[in-house]
Every structure is written in C-alpha cells, then in structure tokens.
C-alpha cells in the first residue's frame, strides 16, 4: 500500500526529506518495497497544496526553491489550495504527518497541537522537532498509543545518526544505567578550534560563518540545546519522566584557550557533556563542560560531530558517533522513521 | 508463548547466555514480556539433557561449573539424557537453537550442518560463531528464508555491540558505500601498548596473559579474524557475495615500536583496519595495518575495544564503538537476537 504523507511546514528539513524522495524514490521502491506519495504540503508562509492522488515532489521543490510560494504549483483537476495545518492534518487522506513546522523549545508549539490533532484523527507523526518530545513526551506517547498510531522522532537527537532507534532495537534487555554524550555541534566545533589556540569569540564567529551556530547562539553555547536532548534520552531510552527543570545546566562561554591547552597537557579535552545517570532510585542529569580523558571515545569526537555513550549492564559501554545536524542528515532521520513505521518495527 | 531454547554446546558463550537468563529472567519477563525456557543442552564433551517442559538453568550452570558433566544434572520424570546435537535439534520441542558449539573458521563445521538441520526442521538459529556466516551466508540465509525461520548472528561481529542490527534497523535507505573498522581486540590492545614503547612480543604476551589473545594468536595478529568479519559485513550489510579468498590480508606482526612512535609524531595511529568499499561496480576488500588520522573516530579506539564506521550517502559516516568480545557481551548478543526474533523484528 502506498504510504501517503502530508508535510506541515516546508523549510530546510522538509525540503531535505522531499529531495531524498525525489532522488531516491525508485531505489527505495525497488530495494525496500517502500512506496510513498506526498499528498499535501501546508506551510504558514509558503502556502498550501493538497491532492488526494499525490503531488509531484520534483515540481514542489522547483516551485518553492525558485519563487518561495506554493501558489505557483500548477493547477491540476482535484487540487486543493490554502488548507491550513489543522485542516491538512485532519481532512487530507495522509496516513502520516511529516511535522516540520518551526521549533519552539520553550512551548513546543504549534507542533504539540499538530501531534494531538494527528493522533486524534488516527494518523502517525514523524518529526525532528525537539520541543514536543522534550516537553510533552508522557502525554503524547500515551495519546499515540491509545489511538494505535506511531510517533517517531529519530532526528530530535543527533539528526540521522540513530541515537534513539539503535538502543531501542539493538540494546534492549540491557539496563542502561547512564547515557552521556556530545549533543551540540556548534560548541564542539568551538572547543575543537580553541585547541588550536583560537579564542572563544573568534571560534564562535567562524561557527556562525560555517552555518553551525544560529545568529543568536545562546541555546547552543549555554547548553539549552544539549539539555533538551538529555531530557529526550532520559524519557525515551531510560523510561524516566525527567523534566527540563530537573537538569542542572552550564554552558561553555566561560572557557578560555588557556583552559583548553591546560587540559591537553593533562591528556584530557574539554567537551560540553550532557548526561543522565541512575544512582539507586535517584536520577542525576546535568549539562556542563567536562574534562574527558583521551582514552574515552567521546574525547576523539572533533569538529561539529556528535556522539553518545550508553552504559549497559550486559553489552558494556556502546558509543555512537555521527552527524548531529544537516539538511540531508535530518531529512534522512524522517525517512528512517517512515521506513520503520511501514515495516511495523521500532 | 514461551520461547523454548535448545543449546548446542555449553562452553563460555552458552554459559554466558544461561547466566543472563538465570540472573535477569524476571526482569526480561516483566519488562519486555520475554518468556524463555531452556529445554535442552547437548554438548559433545559435557553430555546432554532434555526436558520438554524445561530445565532449571541455575542447576544446569551449577552442575557444569562444579563437575563439568551434565550427567550430574538431577533426574526428574520425563528427563532424557544423551541426545546428540542433531537429535536435539530435530527431536526436541525447541523453537530456537542456540548454536554455541566450537568455531572452525576454515570449514564452518559442525555449525553449518547444525544450521541446515535446524532450518530443515523449521527451527530458528541464533549463534555468535563466525564460521557459517563467513563461509555459507548465501546458502544458509536462503535456506532459513525458504523454511520461514530466522537466522540471527549479531555476535559474529563485535559481540554484543550491534554492528549488524544497527545498520539493518537504523541505517536502511542509505547506500552504504564503505564499511571500515577495528574488529580485533587483541591486535588493538597490542598496538595501544606499543604506543607506550612496549615491544610487539611483550605486548602480545601481555594480551595473552589478560585472556585477549589465544595461545596460538595467529588468527588475531595475521588478520584472519578481522577478515572473517569483513566478509560477514559485506554479505549481510552491503548485500555483496564477497568470499574470503577475495580479500587481501596483512597482519601487524611486522610493526615496530619505532613505526608506532613515528606515526604518533605525524598525528596518526597505526590500527589494523578491515574495510570493504564499493567503487562503481567493483568491490574492494582488504585487511591490513593503516595509519589513521587522530581526527578519525577509529583513531581514538584504544585497548581491546572494537569500532566500525559505515559511510552512508544520506546519514554521513556513522561510527559504533564497543566491546568486541567477552563472556557476558557475547552472551548478550544471543539474547538480543532472541528478543528480536520474539518481536518479529530484524
């Protein structure tokens, strides 16, 4: 059966997935029997189109990338225009909503409402938006379960690197007593540059120039981005209802080149580490810079790369290293969610 | 439904799994709904017991670890003794065969015959024995498929670290153009020690003392163990029917402390790398020492740890680091196979 998708939002991540579907659609169909169709796109700024028999993905991308307006998508019999996000979620014939509207890490909106609406209408949701998972995991995962639909969000932690699916599928049966990692590429890039004696401010400017850091980099360098990921890992992987407020958080902006060089002389590296640990019945979660020994796999993670270590009672420590952001990588995170929904697998 | 297991062989790995089932059986039952029962153990040296309603795992371990003979397992009504491996595979009521007999990497026997028998009788097989997968993947995977049973062997590469299941479940949809890694803990331990100016021969002796290296370490240090894993990854993950004979292979025994120190001065480390790469229609596979840059995640893998990098067209390079051997770790590799058979998942 063809898997029908409605995109809510059509920015970088949504277009990233659409490009993959355009470029690799035949390979996915022939290789995996994975047949998808985009039936709707609804974007607050760019407009909306819906056709129950499917839209032409190449044309959607062409139109949006040349004029920025879905109004320029050509008319065909049966095409509907102007549906807002909630109407698209509920009234389209999509099986799965690709929720790629904007991220608000403080409120999780409008994505939380989009999830509620989708689950209520019996539709799956895939997303890479941290907000709803970090803020409303308990509510939304229960709602999805009650409505017998899937909610997948691999891309919320380390984009297309399977920081969530890997432990769920391949480390089950272990007690995972601790998760620690490098979850923010901007700060890791800055710390890597500082090792070559570049001052913090200059390294930050370079990260911004390379597109790693936002114009307002506070969420990166003050640790809030990492904190959101720690909350997600605690909830999803450790099954602990940890809330944002329970995580102590410090950023890296106070570190100097001297600190970085001194650590190097001790055989260590400063890294911005997010960690959550079970100690008896207590859960200890924090974000902050730590001096990591070179013998730790996290110490070798350089530049904008991310990494996570799961400390397992049976398998030992297992570390995953990979991209933590990127248009194609995050687009892929949505694809792997869709493939596993189709497979009926985690 | 209770998953019934028959163990063929009951050495280190089999006992490793049995200990996990003894110690974590309740947790697995309550947490995952995973209910297993050991109905048979047949070991060429230690003897054999079978009971269709299940054996007492704690008692099996106690008996084998104190006397080494399953004959000392107590009599109960309905208990059968002395069944050989093929009779146990075919005539017991097990759903799944835990194939943990001895490994012969040159012939793959007797494990290949055990697989053929099990599949023919409609039984799943889990194993951590490289032989059958490296030598007979095409035949045996087809046979399992025809008989509608599962054949899982996570532990054949990197023991309980999910070097096979992770890419199958969480990187699908990517074209994986290259796989490279450190697949032998003994050689990696030796190379790590040589960095501290310990000579090769002394480092090897230490590895043997610590139980990393076999008394005859040739398969480790000459690269044959790594080669087997490269063949498995090519077949299972890249879907390429690579054979042992097609892989060029060099070991590490010619490396000197001077080579290792010189590499360090260049910002590199010698590692025994196994790799398989697609170049157009060609497949290039080789095993040999390589100087890896410190910025490569493989360079930071020290001591007896293993690691693998999958180069993906969409997700980018994804690296997994973890244990490559060990009683509990390899026992766990069989458990995760069993859990995913039970789930009907990859």
């Amino acid at each position: 059966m063809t898997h029908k998708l409605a995109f809510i939002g059509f920015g970088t991540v949504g277009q990233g997935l659409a490009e993959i579907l355009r470029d690799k659609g035949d390979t996915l169909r022939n290789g995996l029997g994975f047949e998808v169709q985009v039936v709707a796109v609804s974007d607050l700024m760019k407009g909306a189109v819906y056709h129950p028999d499917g839209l032409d993905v190449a044309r959607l991308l062409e139109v949006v990338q040349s004029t920025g307006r879905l109004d320029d998508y050509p008319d065909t019999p049966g095409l509907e225009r102007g549906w807002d996000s909630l109407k698209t979620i509920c009234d389209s014939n999509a099986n799965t909503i690709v929720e790629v509207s904007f991220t608000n890490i403080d409120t999780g909106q409008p994505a939380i409402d989009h999830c509620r609406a989708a689950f209520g209408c019996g539709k799956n949701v895939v997303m890479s938006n941290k907000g709803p998972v970090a803020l409303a995991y308990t509510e939304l995962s229960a709602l999805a379960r009650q409505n017998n639909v899937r909610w997948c969000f691999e891309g919320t932690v380390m984009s297309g690197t399977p920081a969530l699916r890997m432990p769920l599928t391949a480390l089950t049966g272990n007690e995972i007593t601790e998760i620690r990692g490098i979850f923010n590429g901007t700060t890791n890039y800055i710390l890597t540059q500082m090792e070559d004696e570049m001052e913090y401010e200059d390294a930050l400017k370079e990260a911004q120039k390379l597109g790693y850091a936002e114009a307002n980099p506070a969420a990166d360098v003050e640790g809030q981005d990492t904190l959101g990921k720690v909350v997600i890992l605690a909830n999803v992987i450790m099954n602990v209802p940890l809330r944002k407020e329970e995580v102590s958080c410090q950023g890296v902006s106070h570190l100097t080149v001297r600190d970085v060089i001194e650590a190097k002389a001790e055989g260590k590296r400063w890294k911005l580490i997010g960690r959550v640990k079970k100690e008896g019945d207590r859960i200890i979660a924090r974000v902050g810079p730590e001096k990591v020994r070179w013998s730790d796999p996290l110490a070798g993670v350089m530049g904008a790369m991310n990494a996570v270590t799961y400390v397992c009672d049976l398998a030992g420590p297992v570390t995953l290293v990979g991209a933590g952001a990127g248009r194609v990588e995050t687009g892929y995170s949505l694809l792997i969610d869709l493939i596993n929904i189709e497979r009926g697998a985690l």
Side-chain angles (χ1 to χ4, degrees), chain A:
Chain A
M1 204 192 67
T2 302
H3 202 128
K4 290 179 184 264
L5 309 180
F7 282 59
I8 305 302
F10 206 53
T12 305
V13 175
Q15 291 178 45
L17 174 60
E19 286 164 4
I20 295 171
L21 298 178
R22 178 193 64 194
D23 300 339
K24 295 196 63 167
D26 289 344
T27 312
L28 294 168
R29 192 177 307 113
N30 301 334
L32 299 174
F34 177 69
E35 181 99 43
V36 286
Q37 203 174 53
V38 177
V39 294
V41 178
S42 176
D43 184 288
L44 205 57
M45 310 301 290
K46 301 184 179 80
V49 284
Y50 166 57
H51 197 297
D53 299 332
L55 301 164
D56 179 336
V57 175
R59 186 56 78 90
L60 279 172
L61 284 162
E62 200 184 301
V63 161
V64 160
Q65 289 169 6
S66 62
T67 75
R69 294 156 27 100
L70 289 167
D71 292 351
D72 295 325
Y73 185 87
D75 266 324
T76 50
L79 188 84
E80 302 273 355
R81 295 185 187 274
W83 287 20
D84 68 13
S85 54
L86 289 176
K87 186 170 171 62
T88 303
I89 291 168
C90 295
D91 295 351
S92 75
N93 66 348
N95 315 105
T96 297
I97 307 303
V98 180
E99 210 294 334
V100 281
S101 69
F102 47 94
T103 297
N104 181 329
I105 187 70
D106 296 320
T107 67
Q109 292 295 10
I112 289 178
D113 283 342
H114 293 161
C115 289
R116 289 183 182 134
F119 300 155
C121 305
K123 289 174 185 178
N124 311 301
V125 174
V126 298
M127 58 167 55
S128 61
N129 179 339
K130 285 189 303 294
V133 194
L135 299 170
Y137 177 72
T138 305
E139 176 206 333
L140 293 177
S141 57
L143 200 59
R145 233 182 353 260
Q146 283 159 28
N147 287 283
N148 203 21
V149 293
R150 297 287 304 275
W151 181 34
C152 295
F153 38 77
E154 181 63 76
T156 57
V157 181
M158 292 173 66
S159 74
T161 309
L164 301 179
R165 183 161 281 109
M166 188 278 279
L168 291 174
T169 59
L171 296 178
T172 321
N174 283 289
E175 185 184 8
I176 297 181
T177 52
E178 181 174 357
I179 303 175
R180 58 175 182 262
I182 296 168
F183 299 114
N184 182 272
T186 305
T187 45
N188 205 54
Y189 178 82
I190 291 171
L191 293 173
T192 300
Q193 294 305 98
M194 286 171 77
E195 220 172 280
D196 291 335
E197 309 201 11
M198 186 183 279
E199 287 296 342
Y200 172 82
E201 290 298 338
D202 297 325
L204 173 57
K205 271 180 210 146
E206 199 169 289
Q208 286 172 315
K209 212 183 297 172
L210 289 166
Y212 297 149
E214 302 292 322
N216 178 354
D220 293 322
V221 300
E222 298 309 335
Q224 293 297 318
D225 174 63
T226 298
L227 190 155
K229 292 162 185 175
V230 167
V231 170
I232 293 171
L233 288 162
N235 277 270
V236 177
I237 306 303
M238 294 176 109
N239 217 5
V240 167
L242 184 74
R243 286 173 300 112
K244 259 173 76 174
E245 302 72 43
E246 297 171 277
V247 185
S248 72
C249 184
Q250 193 190 15
V252 299
S253 55
H254 64 286
L255 289 180
T256 64
V257 164
R258 194 176 158 170
D259 295 326
V260 171
I261 303 294
E262 275 177 11
K264 206 170 165 179
E266 297 168 30
K268 293 177 183 170
R269 274 202 177 107
W270 282 104
K271 294 288 180 191
L272 180 62
I273 300 291
R275 67 165 76 220
V276 51
K277 189 173 181 179
K278 286 186 196 166
E279 286 190 358
D281 288 345
R282 287 177 64 212
I283 293 293
I284 298 172
R286 66 191 176 84
V287 173
E290 296 184 19
K291 280 194 277 188
V292 179
R293 286 186 184 284
W294 282 352
S295 54
D296 186 318
L298 297 182
V301 177
M302 304 303 273
M305 293 291 263
N306 284 197
V308 57
T309 299
Y310 306 86
V311 180
C312 302
D313 64 340
L314 303 174
V318 174
T319 301
L320 192 59
V321 184
R327 178 189 185 97
V328 183
E329 293 85 346
T330 311
Y332 171 71
S333 76
L334 299 166
L335 177 68
I336 189 66
D337 283 343
L338 292 170
I339 289 172
N340 280 293
I341 289 175
E342 187 78 8
R343 280 177 172 173
L346 284 177

